[in-house]
Amino acid sequence: MKSIQKWTVGGLLTAGLVAVGFVAASSGLWAQNPGIKRTIVYTGDVSVPGREARIASVEIAPGASAGRHTHPGDEITYVIEGEGELWIDGQPPHKFKAGDGFVVMAGMKHDARNTGTPPVKLAAIYVGDKGRPIETPDPLLYGRVNAYRPRKVWR
C-alpha cells in the first residue's frame, strides 16, 4: 500500500513539475518581442456591446521588427515618427513614414519593421472583444531572425 502511495505521489509531483515547466517555457515564447515596446495609454468602450478600443503608444527600435502576428480586432495606426515597412499576408510590402497611417484588419497575419535609424513611433488603436489579448504571435515564425520578410503569400 505504501509503495502505491509513493508512486502516486511521485507521479503527481512529476506531472506538476512538467506542467509548471511547460507554462514557464511557453510564457517565455509568447513574451513581447524586445525590439518593440507597446504601452496601452487608454481603454474604453465602443458602440458595439462586448467590444472595446485600446489606444497604445508603440515604439519599434531601429532595425527591429514587431514579429509576425495577428490581432483579434482591427488595428488603426498613425505614424508619428520614423519610417518602415508593413507586411500584410497576401499583399505587397507597404512603406510608411511619419504622417502616414494604415489599417490592419482583424485576423490578418502581418509584421512591421523599422527601416530607418531613429525609432519608429506609432499611435495605434486596437478595436476588439473585451478581455482578449491585443495580439497573438505567429507560432511558426515568432522569434526568428528576418521573420518580417515573407514569401509572396504567407501560409
Side-chain angles (χ1 to χ4, degrees):
M1 185 71 156
K2 283 192 176 190
S3 175
I4 292 173
Q5 286 177 338
K6 252 191 209 176
W7 282 106
T8 304
V9 171
L12 288 173
L13 285 173
T14 301
L17 289 173
V18 168
V20 168
F22 177 75
V23 169
S26 63
S27 67
L29 288 174
W30 301 111
Q32 183 167 278
N33 182 338
I36 183 170
K37 179 181 176 189
R38 186 180 287 117
T39 306
I40 303 299
V41 296
Y42 183 79
T43 300
D45 291 340
V46 294
S47 61
V48 180
R51 295 180 61 86
E52 67 184 358
R54 296 182 209 170
I55 302 172
S57 168
V58 182
E59 190 169 317
I60 304 173
S65 69
R68 189 169 172 224
H69 61 282
T70 62
H71 300 286
D74 297 329
E75 171 189 353
I76 302 120
T77 301
Y78 175 73
V79 183
I80 298 169
E81 190 177 312
E83 60 187 58
E85 291 178 333
L86 174 68
W87 298 82
I88 299 176
D89 190 8
Q91 298 180 17
H94 170 75
K95 293 184 183 295
F96 61 81
K97 63 184 180 328
D100 291 345
F102 55 85
V103 174
V104 179
M105 292 188 295
M108 297 296 296
K109 292 180 182 176
H110 66 286
D111 194 356
R113 179 169 176 84
N114 182 342
T115 58
T117 50
V120 166
K121 294 183 180 179
L122 309 168
I125 300 170
Y126 304 94
V127 180
D129 295 335
K130 285 185 178 183
R132 290 194 64 191
I134 287 180
E135 74 167 294
T136 302
D138 184 342
L140 298 177
L141 292 177
Y142 187 73
R144 285 181 48 189
V145 177
N146 297 327
Y148 75 96
R149 294 185 186 152
R151 298 180 294 266
K152 270 192 174 177
V153 175
W154 283 333
R155 297 186 174 143

